[in-house]
Amino acid sequence: SVARAAAEGQLREGILGTCWGAHADAEGAVVGWEMRGPRYKGFCAGGTKALFAVGAPRPERLVVCEGMIDALSLASLEGWREGTLYAST
């Protein structure tokens, strides 16, 4: 699931083993990065929390989770269910 989200441009590898998830506005512009790692979780300074989303661009089903890791975990458990957009706030 990490590889798929990275291929969609929604994930980056950060410092100290962190994974960075893009938060985008309604127009799709990245406005901030959610950071998660083994010993750190937070949001990049100067960024704006919006929506992290991976999956179907025109979904029939929307799954909203609290965090990026939760959305990616569920996507992986479900096998990236067809027609689903996995999002976090």
Side-chain angles (χ1 to χ4, degrees), residues 35-65:
M35 300 176 286
R36 294 286 190 254
R39 287 166 275 152
Y40 179 81
K41 66 178 182 174
F43 206 83
C44 69
T48 302
K49 290 184 179 180
L51 189 69
F52 169 82
V54 293
R58 294 180 180 257
E60 298 171 8
R61 177 177 175 246
L62 172 64
V63 175
V64 180
C65 299

